[in-house]
Amino acid sequence: MSIFKKSEEKLQAETVEELRQTIASANMPSNVQQLANKELEMLSKISPSTAEYTIVLTYIDYLIGLPWDKKTEDNLDLERAENILNERHFGLSEIKERILEHLSVKILVRNKKPRILVVDDEKIVVKNLDRFLRKEGYSVTTALSGAEAFNKLDAFEFDLVMTDLKMQDIDGIDVIEKAKNKNADIQAIMITGYASVNSAIKAIKKGAFHYLKKPFKFEEVRATVQKALEKKSLTISTKSSVLCFTGPPGTGKTSIGKAVADALGRKFARISVGGMKDEAEIMGHRRTYAGALPGRIIDEIHRTDVSNPVLMLDEIDKIGQDFKGDPSSALLEALDPEQNNNFIDHYLDVPFDLSGVIFIVTANIADNMQDTLRDRMEVIEFSGYTEDEKKEIALRYLVPKQIHEKGLSDNPPEFTVDAVTKIIHEHTREAGIRNLERQIATVCRKIATGFVYQKNALQKIIVTPELVEKYLGPRKYYFEVADEENRVGVTTGLVWTEVGGAIIFVEAARMKGSGELILTGSLGDVMRESAQAALSYIRSNAGSLNIPYDFFEKQDIHVHVPAGAIPKDGPSAGATIAIALISLLTAHPARRDVAITGELTLTGRILPVGGIKEKLLAARQAGVKIIVLPLKNRVDVENLPDDVKKGLEVVHVDTIDEVVDRVLVK
Ligand code: ADP
């Protein structure tokens, strides 16, 4: 037994020694190194057969393994970035432009010559500093008095002020105060011959970064200036670094994010925050818990092994409703450039600097995000693709990609335009192209299987609509509208959901009863209220609508919105519901191929609604001919590209009476 014990002790001592050396050479910040050594001290005193030993060992290992000072160098060649974005993505020109602008700002900030204001009433000091700093590559402005410095501060922007403390007129502290009032980000260095503790404290409170004592050595000046500006560039370059991509699934948010990372030469990782239920998933568990783990953010940093990857946080609008703790404050701690240079994961328990990370957040609908979060982000909206765009993307990107992935490159099948159109019409119904890609993948897979069965007898395959039918089966989707008859009490509406625009039908029926409004079809609160408002409008205007005043006394009215899968809420179905009711009560059928969207007021006005582009795309897909939109949405329509409006007649209305004229068949 004693031999056994001895060898175990020896092993432990070896492990501890090995770790000690690794810690010493791991380039950790000094506070982390201290912590690691403290833990190591503890480790050396615990028996290796205990669970605690493993916990401490794992922790030390984790600390050592984090990329405290590892970074990839950014490639800030804008032309290259543009090429990468274009090569991988069709269209999206506005989005690419915004991203390139975002990167340009980074480049400009990085390449800008820092501007320094030098203030001193000793001419020779100013002259010497001016000459030295210019040689160092800075842009320098000088002032020989406090008053002159005030004027220069009013007239120009500076990154750094270096000022003498004691001057004839206004003292250095006031100069710094003035500079900070104008721009809180400005850095300051106090130059003085009378360095005293008191004035030093005062200066630091005002935000002076450092002291330079006269007479100074140029080496010292160089180091101090560099240090001051280092802090400055960090705050600028990270300030706007949270991009938020919103839009329906399959519209390219993830792949553009990946392309941004590749364009910059950074590593890329994704974290899905949708459905997260516990703050610990973001912030980590405290080590006192059994089985404690770091949060996902630190874990991805650990995995990518750099402190400046592009981190994509997916589905931020779908954080679990029953989240333990406040999700937006947890996320802000990580994302907010003002605080994330000291991000503390509960497991790590020491700050990690996340300010080098570029965060890209995705959401289906920006409105679903908490305001505090949304305000910190630069939101870029992605929207659904038109049919023409889908065809282009399929033929130019998705088909070649799937051919390559399914090993068909040696004998690539050729997809005809008709075949792709058939897949789009009959096998997909979506704003993006995720399902389209999946269907193309299925076709390619079946072709590959065929080759293998025929022992690689390679004949050229042309994918025609017939072949699509053979491989994908009978059509799954129909034009919902074009095939329907006009009916009394049934109208077509357009809503905007997380997955893009969608067609809904509103059905109204009446029966003997005592004036009850029955609403079914799992409607949200806002939509239920819209239905009530629509009914009240009709009751109060029964005369002008040619409806008997007492219709609601002896009857119940039932409004139903089928298609359980579509989440139905929001005010934009108000006009659609009202027309279904008017159609029912006047017995005039409503046109099915006219789709209505708009909020209805109690006085019969139609108010503007959101998601116009998505709604138009969905309408066309469903075979709608005419769209009735609120007058105030006219600008939205005018700003849309022509191919979104192709084949649709758009009618703008201001009141419900105009909708009646357009939709009811008299
Ligand atoms: P999202 O993140 O918005 O759900 P993805 O980025 O996952 O969408 O896109 C789904 C697929 O469609 C990916 O394979 C992507 O490369 C492709 N894709 C999307 N938009 C385009 C586009 N404009 N050009 C080429 N491919 C695209």
Side-chain angles (χ1 to χ4, degrees):
M1 159 157 175
S2 72
I3 299 170
F4 205 61
K5 181 127 197 243
K6 195 155 177 214
S7 69
E8 198 179 66
E9 270 171 14
K10 201 171 149 218
L11 208 65
Q12 179 175 11
E14 273 170 23
T15 309
V16 169
E17 192 40 46
E18 226 170 80
L19 283 173
R20 197 183 309 282
Q21 285 170 18
T22 322
I23 291 170
S25 60
N27 274 342
M28 304 163 153
S30 59
N31 59 331
V32 182
Q33 193 170 7
Q34 266 170 21
L35 176 77
N37 280 324
K38 217 175 86 198
E39 293 285 324
L40 192 63
E41 201 54 42
M42 197 151 82
L43 189 78
S44 64
K45 292 180 190 139
I46 316 173
S47 155
S49 54
T50 59
E52 205 190 343
Y53 181 86
T54 320
I55 292 173
V56 176
L57 185 64
T58 314
Y59 178 64
I60 297 174
D61 248 349
Y62 204 85
L63 284 182
I64 295 173
L66 275 174
W68 298 98
D69 70 338
K70 278 196 219 161
K71 276 191 167 128
T72 46
E73 193 59 37
D74 275 349
N75 185 331
L76 291 176
D77 176 351
L78 214 54
E79 224 167 279
R80 176 172 168 272
E82 190 174 353
N83 286 340
I84 289 184
L85 290 178
N86 284 335
E87 265 163 31
R88 303 201 194 161
H89 295 92
F90 175 81
L92 303 178
S93 51
E94 223 171 283
I95 287 165
K96 291 174 185 164
E97 208 172 293
R98 296 254 325 254
I99 289 174
L100 289 172
E101 277 166 18
H102 192 85
L103 298 182
S104 315
V105 172
K106 277 189 175 301
I107 293 173
L108 279 183
V109 169
R110 155 133 0 156
N111 293 347
K112 198 180 81 166
K113 257 193 193 174
R115 290 191 72 140
I116 304 179
L117 175 65
V118 176
V119 191
D120 201 313
D121 50 7
E122 271 183 81
K123 223 174 182 173
I124 181 75
V125 173
V126 171
K127 204 172 139 198
N128 281 342
L129 274 178
D130 183 37
R131 193 184 305 148
F132 174 73
L133 291 170
R134 275 177 203 279
K135 248 207 281 175
E136 292 283 293
Y138 299 109
S139 140
V140 186
T141 305
T142 56
L144 287 168
S145 69
E148 196 186 343
F150 270 34
N151 288 339
K152 297 266 161 85
L153 281 170
D154 278 335
F156 306 106
E157 294 286 336
F158 295 100
D159 297 299
L160 171 69
V161 183
M162 299 174 74
T163 175
D164 191 17
L165 179 59
K166 294 260 186 306
M167 288 181 287
Q168 302 272 319
D169 55 347
I170 300 164
D171 83 19
I173 302 257
D174 294 326
V175 172
I176 291 179
E177 185 156 20
K178 162 110 180 155
K180 289 265 170 194
N181 278 345
K182 190 175 172 213
N183 170 9
D185 266 351
I186 207 165
Q187 300 297 318
I189 296 175
M190 188 66 86
I191 312 166
T192 179
Y194 317 89
S196 74
V197 176
N198 266 349
S199 49
I201 290 174
K202 235 169 140 188
I204 284 165
K205 272 198 186 140
K206 291 276 180 309
F209 185 79
H210 223 292
Y211 247 79
L212 276 175
K213 250 192 285 175
K214 279 192 255 181
F216 32 64
K217 299 189 193 83
F218 281 121
E219 272 308 310
E220 226 171 283
V221 176
R222 174 183 292 136
T224 313
V225 168
Q226 270 173 2
K227 223 165 166 190
L229 288 170
E230 205 172 78
K231 197 166 162 200
K232 163 99 185 162
S233 70
L234 208 69
T235 38
I236 297 181
S237 65
T238 52
K239 201 142 236 176
S240 56
S241 56
V242 184
L243 283 170
C244 174
F245 294 169
T246 65
T251 46
K253 300 184 292 298
T254 310
S255 51
I256 284 265
K258 172 86 176 56
V260 168
D262 292 346
L264 286 171
R266 290 197 183 202
K267 297 208 179 160
F268 179 77
R270 273 174 81 183
I271 300 171
S272 178
V273 287
M276 275 192 183
K277 289 210 166 69
D278 195 337
E279 204 184 77
E281 292 181 66
I282 300 169
M283 306 289 291
H285 293 274
R286 288 183 200 287
R287 269 190 306 138
T288 42
Y289 282 91
L293 289 169
R296 285 297 310 278
I297 292 179
I298 286 296
D299 211 33
E300 286 302 327
I301 299 271
H302 188 258
R303 206 179 52 77
T304 55
D305 200 28
V306 283
S307 62
N308 68 338
V310 173
L311 273 191
M312 184 166 244
L313 303 187
D314 270 334
E315 303 194 307
I316 203 156
D317 53 340
K318 296 214 190 54
I319 283 197
Q321 292 291 321
D322 44 353
F323 192 85
K324 269 192 255 156
D326 176 8
S328 59
S329 80
L331 282 171
L332 277 181
E333 265 178 58
L335 300 180
D336 186 358
E338 309 266 306
Q339 35 183 325
N340 74 1
N341 55 348
N342 271 318
F343 176 74
I344 300 190
D345 180 283
H346 294 323
Y347 178 80
L348 279 193
D349 214 21
V350 273
F352 190 91
D353 183 359
L354 290 180
S355 63
V357 178
I358 294 187
F359 284 102
I360 302 181
V361 161
T362 77
N364 286 136
I365 293 187
D367 296 350
N368 294 355
M369 241 187 301
Q370 272 145 328
D371 291 346
T372 38
L373 266 179
R374 200 182 34 210
D375 292 348
R376 311 289 170 104
M377 298 179 185
E378 180 172 349
V379 176
I380 299 187
E381 282 175 29
F382 286 59
S383 54
Y385 292 114
T386 63
E387 190 182 314
D388 293 344
E389 284 172 330
K390 286 183 183 177
K391 277 187 223 165
E392 287 281 342
I393 296 174
L395 290 168
R396 284 165 53 172
Y397 296 83
L398 305 181
V399 167
K401 185 169 148 199
Q402 289 306 324
I403 286 178
H404 176 73
E405 278 181 15
K406 302 292 176 289
L408 297 171
S409 301
D410 288 342
N411 183 26
E414 190 184 319
F415 280 67
T416 64
V417 179
D418 290 344
V420 171
T421 311
K422 187 177 167 81
I423 299 179
I424 294 171
H425 282 171
E426 301 183 6
H427 296 272
T428 68
R429 170 121 316 154
E430 58 182 350
I433 49 174
R434 202 177 272 180
N435 209 8
L436 176 59
E437 182 169 27
R438 214 171 283 150
Q439 301 299 335
I440 291 171
T442 306
V443 173
C444 289
R445 202 169 46 240
K446 299 216 163 166
I447 293 172
T449 317
F451 282 166
V452 175
Y453 268 122
Q454 291 155 23
K455 307 255 180 300
N456 286 326
L458 297 181
Q459 82 274 29
K460 177 89 187 161
I461 295 208
I462 310 275
V463 180
T464 57
E466 292 71 39
L467 210 57
V468 167
E469 180 140 358
K470 180 174 157 212
Y471 286 150
L472 297 182
R475 76 185 293 169
K476 290 199 193 74
Y477 297 99
Y478 289 85
F479 283 123
E480 291 144 299
V481 170
D483 314 331
E484 295 286 341
E485 277 171 33
N486 298 339
R487 278 188 210 194
V488 166
V490 184
T491 47
T492 305
L494 290 168
V495 289
W496 184 30
T497 74
E498 315 201 320
V499 295
I503 288 276
I504 56 163
F505 298 110
V506 175
E507 302 174 344
R510 57 178 161 179
M511 58 219 89
K512 239 192 186 154
S514 55
E516 204 190 329
L517 175 64
I518 305 160
L519 301 171
T520 56
S522 44
L523 313 183
D525 286 342
V526 181
M527 196 141 162
R528 300 178 80 87
E529 284 172 8
S530 300
Q532 266 150 2
L535 181 64
S536 297
Y537 169 78
I538 293 168
R539 289 176 69 190
S540 58
N541 292 278
S544 59
L545 291 164
N546 287 328
I547 296 170
Y549 273 109
D550 59 351
F551 77 92
F552 205 49
E553 272 162 34
K554 301 179 213 93
Q555 292 178 34
D556 288 344
I557 303 260
H558 185 167
V559 173
H560 179 61
V561 187
I566 301 175
K568 279 160 289 195
D569 203 9
S572 67
T576 322
I577 297 172
I579 298 295
L581 290 173
I582 296 171
S583 159
L584 173 77
L585 297 167
T586 58
H588 294 304
R591 284 183 63 171
R592 291 298 283 276
D593 60 349
V594 182
I596 313 159
T597 184
E599 179 174 356
L600 176 70
T601 69
L602 273 183
T603 55
R605 298 282 307 280
I606 307 285
L607 302 183
V609 291
I612 296 297
K613 179 172 179 195
E614 303 297 333
K615 286 174 175 172
L616 259 60
L617 289 173
R620 229 181 79 199
Q621 228 173 42
V624 166
K625 299 273 161 12
I626 302 175
I627 293 206
V628 177
L629 292 183
L631 194 63
K632 293 231 169 72
N633 282 121
R634 177 166 275 163
V635 266
D636 300 312
V637 177
E638 278 165 6
N639 287 336
L640 288 178
D642 284 338
D643 59 339
V644 176
K645 298 176 258 186
K646 206 165 82 182
L648 284 173
E649 182 189 341
V650 180
V651 180
H652 292 281
V653 295
D654 198 29
T655 63
I656 191 81
D657 296 337
E658 296 166 61
V659 190
V660 171
D661 293 342
R662 274 292 177 167
V663 182
L664 296 194
V665 187
K666 297 214 170 130

